[in-house]
Amino acid sequence: MSSLGTYGRYQLLDLLGRGSITEVFKAKSFGVEGFEKTLVIKRVLPELSAEADFVGRFVREAQLSVRLSHSGVVQV
């Protein structure tokens, strides 16, 4: 399995996209007994992570996203 490195407890597998504020990665999480889960990580670009305005918008988007519950919307 190829890897772009780690981000916290996640192993980054592929860069799926990069915009002007964020980047999205396919990643994997590992647990006990060999448990693995493939997921997507969206993060603020490293060069913008110190900018409170960008981080604030990102957090507001995440707060709204967790409220959504529909079969056509992925779990956050």
Side-chain angles (χ1 to χ4, degrees):
M1 165 185 0
S2 66
S3 175
L4 300 175
T6 59
Y7 184 68
R9 63 184 184 142
Y10 304 102
Q11 182 177 19
L12 303 178
L13 303 175
D14 295 304
L15 176 64
L16 300 177
R18 183 179 170 107
S20 59
I21 297 175
T22 61
E23 54 194 356
V24 178
F25 294 90
K26 178 180 177 184
K28 193 163 274 202
S29 172
F30 300 92
V32 296
E33 301 287 330
F35 172 80
E36 295 181 6
K37 182 175 183 178
T38 302
L39 52 111
V40 173
I41 294 176
K42 182 177 182 180
R43 70 177 181 184
V44 174
L45 294 176
E47 60 268 23
L48 299 176
S49 63
E51 299 289 331
D53 182 51
F54 290 108
V55 174
R57 282 192 272 169
F58 184 77
V59 169
R60 283 190 298 280
E61 177 185 319
Q63 289 170 335
L64 289 172
S65 297
V66 297
R67 293 178 169 175
L68 299 174
S69 178
H70 187 275
S71 62
V73 177
V74 297
Q75 180 183 9
V76 175

Coordinates of all heavy atoms in Angstrom, one line a residue:
M1 N 0.8 -1.2 0.0 CA 0.0 0.0 0.0 C 0.9 1.2 0.0 O 1.8 1.4 0.8 CB -0.9 0.0 1.2 CG -1.6 1.2 1.6 SD -2.6 1.3 3.1 CE -2.5 -0.3 3.8
S2 N 0.7 2.1 -1.0 CA 1.5 3.4 -1.0 C 0.9 4.3 0.1 O -0.2 4.2 0.5 CB 1.4 4.0 -2.4 OG 0.1 4.4 -2.6
S3 N 1.8 5.3 0.5 CA 1.4 6.2 1.5 C 2.0 7.6 1.3 O 3.1 7.7 0.8 CB 1.8 5.7 2.9 OG 1.5 6.6 3.9
L4 N 1.2 8.6 1.5 CA 1.8 10.0 1.5 C 2.2 10.4 2.8 O 2.6 11.6 3.0 CB 0.7 10.9 0.9 CG 0.1 10.6 -0.4 CD1 -1.0 11.6 -0.7 CD2 1.2 10.7 -1.5
G5 N 2.2 9.5 3.8 CA 2.6 9.9 5.2 C 1.4 9.8 6.1 O 0.4 9.2 5.7
T6 N 1.6 10.3 7.3 CA 0.5 10.3 8.2 C 0.0 11.7 8.6 O 0.7 12.7 8.4 CB 1.0 9.6 9.5 OG1 2.1 10.3 10.1 CG2 1.4 8.1 9.3
Y7 N -1.2 11.7 9.1 CA -1.8 12.9 9.5 C -2.6 12.5 10.8 O -3.6 11.9 10.8 CB -2.8 13.5 8.5 CG -3.4 14.8 8.8 CD1 -2.6 15.9 8.9 CD2 -4.8 14.9 9.1 CE1 -3.2 17.2 9.3 CE2 -5.3 16.1 9.4 CZ -4.6 17.2 9.5 OH -5.1 18.5 9.9
G8 N -1.9 12.8 11.9 CA -2.5 12.4 13.2 C -2.5 10.9 13.2 O -1.4 10.2 12.9
R9 N -3.6 10.2 13.5 CA -3.7 8.8 13.6 C -4.0 8.1 12.2 O -4.3 6.9 12.1 CB -4.7 8.3 14.6 CG -6.1 8.8 14.3 CD -7.0 8.4 15.5 NE -8.4 8.8 15.1 CZ -9.4 8.1 15.4 NH1 -9.3 6.9 16.0 NH2 -10.6 8.5 15.0
Y10 N -4.1 8.9 11.2 CA -4.5 8.4 9.8 C -3.3 8.3 8.9 O -2.4 9.1 8.9 CB -5.5 9.4 9.2 CG -6.7 9.6 10.1 CD1 -6.8 10.7 10.9 CD2 -7.7 8.6 10.2 CE1 -7.9 10.9 11.7 CE2 -8.8 8.8 11.1 CZ -8.9 10.0 11.8 OH -10.0 10.2 12.7
Q11 N -3.4 7.3 8.0 CA -2.4 7.1 7.0 C -3.0 7.7 5.7 O -4.0 7.3 5.3 CB -2.0 5.7 6.8 CG -1.0 5.4 5.8 CD -0.6 4.0 5.7 OE1 -1.3 3.1 6.1 NE2 0.6 3.7 5.1
L12 N -2.3 8.7 5.1 CA -2.8 9.3 3.9 C -2.4 8.4 2.7 O -1.2 8.1 2.5 CB -2.2 10.7 3.7 CG -2.5 11.7 4.9 CD1 -1.8 13.0 4.6 CD2 -4.0 11.8 5.1
L13 N -3.3 8.1 1.9 CA -3.1 7.2 0.8 C -3.0 7.9 -0.6 O -2.1 7.6 -1.3 CB -4.2 6.1 0.7 CG -4.4 5.3 1.9 CD1 -5.6 4.3 1.8 CD2 -3.1 4.5 2.3
D14 N -3.9 8.8 -0.9 CA -3.9 9.5 -2.1 C -4.5 10.9 -1.9 O -5.4 11.1 -1.1 CB -4.9 8.8 -3.1 CG -4.4 7.4 -3.6 OD1 -3.2 7.3 -4.0 OD2 -5.1 6.5 -3.4
L15 N -3.9 11.9 -2.7 CA -4.5 13.2 -2.7 C -5.6 13.2 -3.8 O -5.4 12.9 -4.9 CB -3.4 14.2 -3.1 CG -3.9 15.7 -3.3 CD1 -4.4 16.2 -2.0 CD2 -2.8 16.5 -3.8
L16 N -6.8 13.4 -3.3 CA -8.0 13.4 -4.2 C -8.2 14.7 -4.9 O -8.7 14.7 -6.0 CB -9.2 12.9 -3.5 CG -9.2 11.5 -2.8 CD1 -10.4 11.3 -2.0 CD2 -8.9 10.5 -3.9
G17 N -7.9 15.8 -4.2 CA -8.1 17.1 -4.8 C -7.6 18.2 -3.9 O -7.4 18.0 -2.7
R18 N -7.3 19.3 -4.5 CA -6.8 20.5 -3.8 C -7.5 21.7 -4.4 O -7.5 21.9 -5.6 CB -5.3 20.6 -4.0 CG -4.6 21.7 -3.2 CD -3.1 21.6 -3.4 NE -2.5 22.8 -2.9 CZ -1.7 22.9 -1.8 NH1 -1.5 21.8 -1.1 NH2 -1.2 24.0 -1.5
G19 N -8.0 22.5 -3.5 CA -8.6 23.8 -3.9 C -7.8 25.0 -3.4 O -6.7 24.8 -3.0
S20 N -8.5 26.1 -3.3 CA -7.8 27.3 -2.9 C -7.6 27.4 -1.3 O -6.8 28.1 -0.8 CB -8.5 28.6 -3.4 OG -9.8 28.6 -2.9
I21 N -8.4 26.6 -0.6 CA -8.4 26.7 0.8 C -8.1 25.3 1.5 O -7.5 25.2 2.5 CB -9.7 27.2 1.4 CG1 -9.9 28.7 0.9 CG2 -9.8 27.2 2.9 CD1 -11.3 29.3 1.3
T22 N -8.6 24.2 0.8 CA -8.5 22.9 1.4 C -7.9 21.9 0.5 O -7.8 22.1 -0.7 CB -9.8 22.4 1.9 OG1 -10.7 22.3 0.8 CG2 -10.4 23.3 3.0
E23 N -7.5 20.7 1.0 CA -7.1 19.6 0.2 C -7.9 18.4 0.8 O -8.2 18.3 2.0 CB -5.6 19.4 0.2 CG -5.0 19.3 1.6 CD -3.5 19.5 1.5 OE1 -2.9 19.6 0.4 OE2 -2.8 19.5 2.6
V24 N -8.1 17.4 -0.1 CA -8.9 16.2 0.3 C -8.0 15.0 0.0 O -7.5 14.8 -1.1 CB -10.2 16.1 -0.4 CG1 -11.0 14.9 -0.1 CG2 -11.0 17.4 -0.2
F25 N -7.9 14.1 1.0 CA -7.2 12.9 0.9 C -8.0 11.6 1.1 O -8.9 11.6 2.0 CB -6.1 12.8 2.0 CG -5.0 13.9 1.8 CD1 -5.1 15.1 2.4 CD2 -3.9 13.6 1.1 CE1 -4.2 16.1 2.3 CE2 -2.9 14.6 1.0 CZ -3.0 15.8 1.6
K26 N -7.7 10.6 0.4 CA -8.2 9.2 0.8 C -7.2 8.7 1.9 O -6.0 8.9 1.7 CB -8.1 8.3 -0.4 CG -8.6 6.9 -0.1 CD -8.5 6.0 -1.4 CE -8.9 4.6 -1.1 NZ -8.7 3.7 -2.3
A27 N -7.7 8.2 2.9 CA -6.9 7.8 4.1 C -7.4 6.5 4.7 O -8.5 6.0 4.3 CB -6.9 8.9 5.1
K28 N -6.6 6.0 5.6 CA -7.0 4.8 6.3 C -6.7 5.0 7.8 O -5.8 5.6 8.2 CB -6.2 3.6 5.8 CG -6.7 2.3 6.2 CD -6.1 1.2 5.4 CE -7.0 1.0 4.2 NZ -7.0 -0.3 3.5
S29 N -7.7 4.4 8.6 CA -7.5 4.4 10.0 C -7.4 3.0 10.5 O -8.0 2.1 9.9 CB -8.8 5.0 10.6 OG -8.9 4.8 12.0
F30 N -6.5 2.8 11.5 CA -6.3 1.4 11.9 C -6.7 1.3 13.4 O -6.5 2.2 14.2 CB -4.8 1.1 11.8 CG -4.3 1.2 10.4 CD1 -3.8 2.3 9.9 CD2 -4.4 0.1 9.6 CE1 -3.3 2.4 8.5 CE2 -3.9 0.1 8.2 CZ -3.4 1.3 7.7
G31 N -7.2 0.1 13.8 CA -7.6 -0.1 15.1 C -7.1 -1.5 15.6 O -6.3 -2.1 15.0
V32 N -7.8 -1.9 16.7 CA -7.4 -3.1 17.4 C -7.8 -4.3 16.5 O -8.7 -4.2 15.6 CB -8.0 -3.3 18.8 CG1 -7.5 -2.2 19.7 CG2 -9.5 -3.2 18.7
E33 N -7.1 -5.4 16.7 CA -7.4 -6.7 16.0 C -7.4 -6.6 14.5 O -8.1 -7.2 13.8 CB -8.8 -7.2 16.4 CG -9.0 -7.5 17.9 CD -8.3 -8.7 18.3 OE1 -8.1 -9.7 17.6 OE2 -7.9 -8.7 19.5
G34 N -6.5 -5.7 14.0 CA -6.4 -5.5 12.5 C -7.5 -4.7 11.9 O -7.5 -4.7 10.6
F35 N -8.4 -4.1 12.6 CA -9.5 -3.3 12.1 C -8.9 -2.2 11.2 O -8.0 -1.5 11.6 CB -10.3 -2.8 13.2 CG -11.4 -1.8 12.7 CD1 -12.6 -2.3 12.1 CD2 -11.2 -0.4 12.8 CE1 -13.5 -1.4 11.7 CE2 -12.1 0.5 12.4 CZ -13.3 0.0 11.8
E36 N -9.4 -2.0 10.0 CA -9.1 -0.9 9.1 C -10.3 -0.2 8.6 O -11.3 -0.9 8.3 CB -8.3 -1.4 7.9 CG -6.9 -2.0 8.3 CD -6.2 -2.4 7.0 OE1 -6.6 -2.2 5.9 OE2 -5.1 -3.1 7.2
K37 N -10.3 1.1 8.4 CA -11.4 1.8 7.8 C -10.8 2.8 6.8 O -10.0 3.6 7.1 CB -12.2 2.5 8.9 CG -13.4 3.2 8.3 CD -14.3 3.8 9.4 CE -15.5 4.5 8.8 NZ -16.4 5.0 9.9
T38 N -11.3 2.8 5.6 CA -11.0 3.7 4.6 C -11.9 4.9 4.7 O -13.1 4.7 4.9 CB -11.1 3.1 3.2 OG1 -10.2 2.0 3.1 CG2 -10.6 4.1 2.1
L39 N -11.4 6.1 4.6 CA -12.1 7.3 4.8 C -11.5 8.5 4.0 O -10.5 8.3 3.4 CB -12.2 7.7 6.3 CG -10.9 7.8 7.0 CD1 -10.6 9.2 7.4 CD2 -10.9 6.9 8.2
V40 N -12.2 9.6 4.1 CA -11.7 10.8 3.4 C -11.4 11.9 4.5 O -12.2 12.1 5.4 CB -12.7 11.3 2.4 CG1 -12.3 12.7 1.8 CG2 -12.9 10.3 1.3
I41 N -10.3 12.6 4.3 CA -9.9 13.7 5.2 C -9.8 14.9 4.4 O -9.2 15.0 3.3 CB -8.5 13.4 5.9 CG1 -8.6 12.2 6.8 CG2 -8.1 14.7 6.6 CD1 -7.3 11.8 7.4
K42 N -10.6 15.9 4.9 CA -10.5 17.3 4.3 C -9.8 18.2 5.3 O -10.2 18.3 6.4 CB -11.9 17.8 4.0 CG -11.9 19.1 3.3 CD -13.4 19.5 3.0 CE -13.4 20.9 2.2 NZ -14.8 21.2 1.9
R43 N -8.8 18.8 4.9 CA -8.0 19.7 5.8 C -7.7 21.0 5.1 O -7.5 21.1 3.9 CB -6.8 19.0 6.3 CG -5.7 18.9 5.3 CD -4.5 18.3 5.9 NE -3.4 18.2 5.0 CZ -2.2 17.6 5.2 NH1 -2.0 17.1 6.4 NH2 -1.3 17.6 4.2
V44 N -7.6 22.1 6.0 CA -7.1 23.4 5.5 C -5.7 23.2 5.0 O -4.9 22.5 5.6 CB -7.2 24.4 6.7 CG1 -6.6 25.7 6.3 CG2 -8.7 24.5 7.1
L45 N -5.4 23.9 3.9 CA -4.0 23.9 3.4 C -3.0 24.3 4.5 O -3.3 25.3 5.3 CB -3.9 24.8 2.2 CG -4.6 24.4 1.0 CD1 -4.5 25.5 -0.1 CD2 -4.2 23.1 0.4
P46 N -1.9 23.6 4.6 CA -1.0 23.9 5.7 C -0.5 25.4 5.7 O -0.4 26.0 6.8 CB 0.2 23.0 5.4 CG -0.3 21.9 4.6 CD -1.5 22.5 3.8
E47 N -0.4 26.0 4.6 CA 0.0 27.4 4.6 C -1.0 28.4 5.0 O -0.8 29.5 5.3 CB 0.6 27.8 3.2 CG -0.4 27.7 2.1 CD -0.4 26.3 1.3 OE1 0.1 25.3 1.9 OE2 -0.9 26.3 0.2
L48 N -2.3 27.9 5.1 CA -3.4 28.8 5.6 C -3.9 28.4 7.0 O -4.7 29.1 7.5 CB -4.6 28.7 4.6 CG -4.3 29.1 3.2 CD1 -5.5 28.9 2.3 CD2 -3.9 30.6 3.1
S49 N -3.3 27.3 7.6 CA -3.8 26.9 8.8 C -3.6 27.8 10.0 O -4.3 27.7 11.0 CB -3.2 25.5 9.2 OG -1.8 25.6 9.3
A50 N -2.7 28.8 9.8 CA -2.5 29.8 10.9 C -3.5 31.0 10.7 O -3.5 31.9 11.6 CB -1.1 30.3 10.9
E51 N -4.2 31.0 9.6 CA -5.1 32.1 9.4 C -6.5 31.9 10.0 O -7.2 31.0 9.6 CB -5.3 32.3 7.8 CG -4.1 32.7 7.1 CD -3.6 34.1 7.4 OE1 -4.4 35.0 7.7 OE2 -2.3 34.3 7.3
A52 N -6.8 32.6 11.0 CA -8.0 32.4 11.8 C -9.3 32.4 10.9 O -10.2 31.7 11.2 CB -8.2 33.4 12.9
D53 N -9.3 33.3 9.9 CA -10.5 33.4 9.1 C -10.8 32.1 8.3 O -11.9 31.6 8.2 CB -10.3 34.6 8.1 CG -11.5 34.8 7.2 OD1 -12.7 34.9 7.8 OD2 -11.4 34.9 6.0
F54 N -9.7 31.6 7.7 CA -9.9 30.3 7.0 C -10.3 29.2 7.9 O -11.1 28.4 7.5 CB -8.5 30.0 6.2 CG -8.2 30.9 5.1 CD1 -7.2 31.8 5.2 CD2 -9.0 30.9 3.9 CE1 -6.9 32.7 4.2 CE2 -8.7 31.7 2.9 CZ -7.6 32.6 3.0
V55 N -9.6 29.1 9.0 CA -9.9 28.0 9.9 C -11.4 28.1 10.4 O -12.1 27.1 10.5 CB -8.9 28.0 11.1 CG1 -9.3 26.9 12.2 CG2 -7.5 27.7 10.6
G56 N -11.8 29.4 10.7 CA -13.2 29.6 11.1 C -14.2 29.1 10.1 O -15.2 28.5 10.5
R57 N -14.0 29.4 8.9 CA -14.9 29.0 7.8 C -14.9 27.5 7.7 O -16.0 26.9 7.5 CB -14.5 29.6 6.5 CG -14.9 31.1 6.3 CD -14.8 31.5 4.9 NE -13.4 32.1 4.8 CZ -12.9 32.4 3.7 NH1 -13.5 32.2 2.5 NH2 -11.7 32.8 3.6
F58 N -13.8 26.9 7.8 CA -13.7 25.4 7.7 C -14.4 24.8 8.9 O -15.2 23.8 8.7 CB -12.2 25.0 7.8 CG -12.0 23.5 7.6 CD1 -12.0 23.0 6.4 CD2 -11.6 22.8 8.7 CE1 -11.8 21.6 6.2 CE2 -11.4 21.4 8.5 CZ -11.5 20.8 7.3
V59 N -14.3 25.3 10.1 CA -15.0 24.8 11.3 C -16.5 25.0 11.1 O -17.3 24.0 11.4 CB -14.5 25.4 12.6 CG1 -15.4 25.1 13.7 CG2 -13.1 25.0 12.8
R60 N -17.0 26.1 10.6 CA -18.4 26.3 10.4 C -19.0 25.3 9.4 O -20.1 24.8 9.5 CB -18.7 27.8 10.0 CG -18.6 28.8 11.1 CD -19.1 30.1 10.7 NE -18.3 30.8 9.7 CZ -17.1 31.4 9.9 NH1 -16.6 31.4 11.1 NH2 -16.5 32.0 8.9
E61 N -18.2 25.1 8.3 CA -18.6 24.1 7.3 C -18.8 22.7 8.0 O -19.8 22.0 7.7 CB -17.6 24.0 6.2 CG -18.0 23.0 5.2 CD -16.9 22.8 4.1 OE1 -16.3 23.9 3.6 OE2 -16.6 21.7 3.7
A62 N -17.8 22.3 8.8 CA -17.9 21.0 9.5 C -19.1 21.0 10.4 O -19.8 20.0 10.5 CB -16.6 20.8 10.2
Q63 N -19.3 22.1 11.1 CA -20.5 22.1 12.1 C -21.8 21.9 11.4 O -22.7 21.2 11.8 CB -20.5 23.4 12.9 CG -19.4 23.5 13.9 CD -19.2 24.8 14.5 OE1 -19.6 25.8 13.9 NE2 -18.6 24.9 15.7
L64 N -21.9 22.5 10.2 CA -23.1 22.4 9.4 C -23.2 20.9 8.8 O -24.3 20.3 8.8 CB -23.2 23.4 8.3 CG -23.4 24.8 8.7 CD1 -23.3 25.8 7.5 CD2 -24.8 25.0 9.3
S65 N -22.1 20.4 8.4 CA -22.1 19.1 7.8 C -22.5 18.0 8.7 O -23.2 17.1 8.3 CB -20.7 18.8 7.2 OG -20.3 19.7 6.2
V66 N -22.2 18.1 10.0 CA -22.5 17.0 10.9 C -24.0 17.0 11.2 O -24.5 16.0 11.7 CB -21.7 17.1 12.2 CG1 -20.2 16.9 12.0 CG2 -22.0 18.3 13.0
R67 N -24.7 18.1 10.9 CA -26.2 18.1 11.1 C -26.9 17.4 10.0 O -28.1 17.0 10.2 CB -26.6 19.6 11.1 CG -26.2 20.3 12.3 CD -26.7 21.7 12.2 NE -26.4 22.5 13.4 CZ -26.7 23.7 13.5 NH1 -27.2 24.4 12.5 NH2 -26.5 24.4 14.7
L68 N -26.3 17.1 8.9 CA -27.0 16.5 7.8 C -27.1 15.0 8.0 O -26.1 14.3 8.4 CB -26.2 16.7 6.5 CG -26.1 18.2 6.1 CD1 -25.2 18.3 4.8 CD2 -27.4 18.8 5.8
S69 N -28.3 14.5 7.8 CA -28.5 13.1 7.9 C -29.5 12.6 6.8 O -30.7 12.9 6.8 CB -29.1 12.7 9.3 OG -29.4 11.4 9.4
H70 N -28.9 12.0 5.8 CA -29.7 11.6 4.6 C -28.9 10.4 3.9 O -27.7 10.4 3.9 CB -29.8 12.8 3.6 CG -30.7 12.5 2.5 ND1 -30.3 11.9 1.3 CD2 -32.1 12.7 2.3 CE1 -31.3 11.7 0.5 NE2 -32.4 12.3 1.1
S71 N -29.7 9.5 3.3 CA -29.0 8.4 2.7 C -28.1 8.8 1.5 O -27.2 8.0 1.1 CB -30.1 7.4 2.2 OG -30.9 8.0 1.2
G72 N -28.3 10.0 1.0 CA -27.5 10.4 -0.2 C -26.4 11.3 0.3 O -25.6 11.8 -0.6
V73 N -26.1 11.4 1.6 CA -25.1 12.3 2.1 C -24.1 11.4 3.0 O -24.6 10.7 3.8 CB -25.6 13.4 2.9 CG1 -24.5 14.3 3.5 CG2 -26.5 14.3 2.1
V74 N -22.8 11.5 2.7 CA -21.9 10.7 3.5 C -21.9 11.1 5.0 O -22.1 12.3 5.3 CB -20.5 10.7 2.9 CG1 -20.5 10.1 1.6 CG2 -19.9 12.1 3.0
Q75 N -21.5 10.2 5.9 CA -21.4 10.5 7.3 C -20.1 11.3 7.5 O -19.1 11.1 6.9 CB -21.3 9.2 8.1 CG -21.1 9.4 9.5 CD -20.9 8.0 10.3 OE1 -20.7 7.0 9.6 NE2 -21.0 8.1 11.6
V76 N -20.3 12.3 8.4 CA -19.1 13.2 8.7 C -18.6 12.8 10.1 O -19.3 12.5 11.0 CB -19.6 14.7 8.8 CG1 -18.4 15.6 9.3 CG2 -20.1 15.1 7.5

